[in-house]
């Protein structure tokens, strides 16, 4: 690799690492604030929060890498132009196509880790995250029960527990079930235990009383019991069958799904194909962003007033490509035969970058008008 190519590629790589670190930190902290409220607010420990935050990190990196590649390209090309390094290379006979070679290579190098993230790391982290969320949702004591407080784990349900022993025994429990508008049922018991069964978790109350209040005539009926099992699976959602998520499936399963998998997920084939091809299309966005950033700045040429308008053009084109990506997603998800539309936004972005480079090359090849001879 020529020396200038190595120099430009090194500059792009260093700035890419800087912008990626900044963007990941900002996005991750923003995501972590809401995650902290959800996890800690549900009674989980700080270690669970750190585990969940680490599992969301691959998806955060996947989102910011194309933006970091674009920002690094714009910054480096703008700095080299202002310091006349690009002007010197062009004066030595290097065309914009020749100078674009390390930029294109840089975009391809960024696309490789994005492919690894989208095809392997992100699905694996999503699967583990869903698994841990399911485990925590089954932890009724940690999520809903707290001694000495009236809690409302679901609409119409009120729970009060005087004490929770270390063994898991619940002492002096009060449970009011007003989910049925016609009848309110209240359970009180001296002791209770949480047990797992084939149908889901049960709350087994011992030595207690049940009271039924009919709202129509305000008639109260009571009954005592030695032990009574109350189904709490509806409160924590553990009895509900969780459909497989497309985010956690492998790319092979998305591109070649079996009829059983489609039926189990409840999603159409078009959504499978779009999700599988979108993982590769997102990696191509890094190449498109690098070429758009380079082409827009090179098309403006050298100016003592800076390249503010060219930078604005590059940002506008990148935003347009992202808007086009959202539109293409809706089209591709509407019909399974339209999955090639998924690749349209990054390919259009690459074409825009190449078009700007071609425009820059044509402007430099244009012959200058001959100078008028002095009289």
């Amino acid at each position: 690799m020529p020396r200038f190519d190595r120099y430009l590629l090194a500059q792009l790589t260093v700035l890419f690492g800087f912008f990626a670190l900044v963007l990941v930190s900002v996005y991750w902290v923003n995501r972590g604030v809401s995650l902290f409220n959800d996890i800690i607010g549900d009674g989980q420990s700080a270690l669970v929060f750190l585990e969940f935050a680490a599992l969301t990190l691959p998806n955060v990196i996947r989102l910011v890498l194309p933006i970091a590649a674009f920002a690094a390209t714009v910054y480096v090309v703008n700095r080299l132009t202002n310091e006349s390094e690009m002007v010197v290379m062009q004066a030595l006979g290097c065309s914009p196509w020749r100078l674009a070679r390390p930029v294109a290579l840089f975009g391809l190098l960024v696309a490789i880790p994005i492919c690894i993230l989208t095809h392997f790391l992100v699905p694996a982290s999503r699967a583990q995250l869903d698994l841990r969320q399911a485990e925590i949702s089954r932890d009724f004591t940690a999520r809903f029960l707290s001694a000495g407080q009236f809690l409302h784990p679901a609409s119409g349900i009120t729970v009060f527990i005087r004490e929770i022993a270390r063994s898991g025994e619940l002492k002096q429990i009060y449970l009011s079930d007003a989910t049925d508008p016609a009848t309110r049922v209240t359970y009180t018991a001296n002791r209770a235990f949480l047990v797992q069964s084939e149908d889901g978790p049960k709350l087994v109350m011992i030595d207690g009383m049940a009271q039924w209040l009919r709202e129509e005539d305000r008639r109260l009926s009571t009954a005592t019991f030695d032990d009574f099992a109350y189904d709490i699976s509806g409160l924590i959602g553990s009895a509900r069958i969780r459909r497989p998520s497309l985010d956690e499936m492998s790319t092979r399963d998305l591109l070649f799904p079996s009829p059983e998998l489609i039926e189990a997920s409840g999603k159409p084939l078009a959504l499978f194909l779009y999700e599988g091809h979108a993982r590769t299309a997102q990696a191509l966005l890094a190449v498109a962003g690098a070429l758009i950033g380079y082409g827009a700045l090179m098309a403006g040429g050298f100016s003592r007033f800076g390249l503010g308008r060219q930078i604005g053009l590059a940002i506008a084109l990148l935003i347009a490509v992202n808007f086009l990506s959202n539109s293409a997603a809706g089209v591709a998800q509407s019909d399974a035969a339209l999955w090639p539309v998924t690749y349209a936004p990054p390919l259009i972005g690459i074409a825009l970058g190449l078009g700007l480079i071609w425009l820059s090359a044509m402007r430099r090849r244009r012959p200058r008008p001959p100078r008028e001879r002095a009289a």
Side-chain angles (χ1 to χ4, degrees):
M1 182 181 297
R3 182 176 300 178
F4 181 78
D5 288 5
R6 293 198 302 269
Y7 170 72
L8 182 56
L9 187 60
Q11 294 292 317
L12 291 171
T13 304
V14 171
L15 268 299
F16 168 75
F18 170 76
F19 283 114
L21 181 61
V22 172
L23 293 175
V24 167
S25 301
V26 172
Y27 197 100
W28 197 31
V29 168
N30 185 37
R31 179 70 181 91
V33 171
S34 60
L35 188 64
F36 181 84
N37 293 332
D38 295 338
I39 299 298
I40 303 300
D42 284 345
Q44 302 299 324
S45 64
L47 292 178
V48 176
F49 164 72
L50 293 177
E51 179 186 2
F52 274 56
L55 290 174
T56 60
L57 186 58
N59 188 51
V60 172
I61 298 175
R62 173 186 67 89
L63 293 174
V64 305
L65 285 189
I67 303 176
F70 169 80
T73 304
V74 170
Y75 185 90
V76 169
V77 174
N78 180 54
R79 183 172 61 83
L80 295 182
T81 301
N82 291 335
E83 295 177 358
S84 302
E85 295 185 53
M86 283 293 189
V87 178
V88 171
M89 294 303 300
Q90 293 176 21
L92 293 176
C94 294
S95 67
W97 292 108
R98 171 63 184 80
L99 297 176
R101 188 168 65 181
V103 177
L105 179 60
F106 165 71
L108 292 175
L109 292 177
V110 175
I112 292 175
I114 296 179
C115 280
I116 296 175
L117 286 167
T118 55
H119 289 288
F120 302 103
L121 297 183
V122 172
S125 64
R126 287 286 183 86
Q128 181 64 23
L129 184 62
D130 290 344
L131 178 62
R132 292 290 292 125
Q133 287 176 339
E135 292 176 354
I136 289 178
S137 67
R138 289 193 294 266
D139 189 0
F140 185 83
T141 303
R143 186 176 180 183
F144 293 121
L145 302 185
S146 180
Q149 297 182 15
F150 283 93
L151 302 176
H152 306 278
S155 178
I157 302 294
T158 302
V159 180
F160 177 84
I161 301 171
R162 185 178 64 84
E163 182 182 354
I164 301 177
R166 292 185 178 181
S167 61
E169 179 183 356
L170 312 178
K171 298 181 179 180
Q172 299 296 324
I173 183 171
Y174 166 89
L175 191 152
S176 176
D177 186 349
T179 55
D180 185 0
T183 304
R184 177 189 294 269
V185 184
T186 302
Y187 303 94
T188 56
N190 291 326
R191 296 185 300 156
F193 299 91
L194 291 172
V195 298
Q196 290 289 340
S197 66
E198 295 180 357
D199 300 330
K202 308 289 185 182
L203 178 63
V204 178
M205 292 177 281
I206 300 174
D207 187 15
M209 180 176 64
Q211 306 175 56
W212 292 268
L213 176 64
R214 291 197 307 181
E215 297 292 342
E216 181 180 1
D217 54 5
R218 307 298 294 176
R219 184 174 181 177
L220 180 66
S221 303
T222 63
T224 59
F225 55 83
D226 293 331
D227 58 84
F228 177 78
Y230 183 84
D231 186 5
I232 62 173
S233 60
L235 302 182
I236 61 178
S238 61
R240 292 176 292 182
I241 299 175
R242 189 179 68 87
R243 295 181 179 272
S245 175
L246 301 184
D247 296 334
E248 61 189 51
M249 294 183 186
S250 65
T251 304
R252 184 178 182 277
D253 290 338
L254 292 173
L255 298 180
F256 307 100
S258 62
E260 295 78 10
L261 185 59
I262 296 176
E263 183 179 0
S265 66
K267 302 294 178 60
L269 176 61
L271 200 58
F272 274 80
L273 296 179
Y274 165 76
E275 183 67 26
H277 291 286
R279 295 179 179 182
T280 303
Q282 186 169 14
L284 296 177
L285 287 175
V287 182
L291 292 178
I292 288 175
Y294 170 79
L297 268 65
M298 291 299 292
F302 176 77
S303 174
R304 295 181 179 179
F305 299 100
L307 300 175
R309 291 192 301 177
Q310 286 74 21
I311 295 175
L313 173 63
I315 296 175
L317 290 177
L318 185 67
I319 294 175
V321 169
N322 281 275
F323 274 118
L324 185 61
S325 179
N326 296 332
S327 302
V331 174
Q333 294 175 12
S334 63
D335 190 348
L338 298 178
W339 63 263
V341 179
T342 309
Y343 296 97
L347 294 179
I348 291 176
I350 293 174
L352 288 174
L354 296 177
L356 291 171
I357 297 173
W358 175 82
L359 179 63
S360 176
M362 292 300 296
R363 292 179 61 179
R364 283 167 175 76
R365 290 179 182 177
R366 187 179 304 167
R368 296 181 180 180
R371 296 181 180 179
E372 297 182 0
R373 296 182 178 179

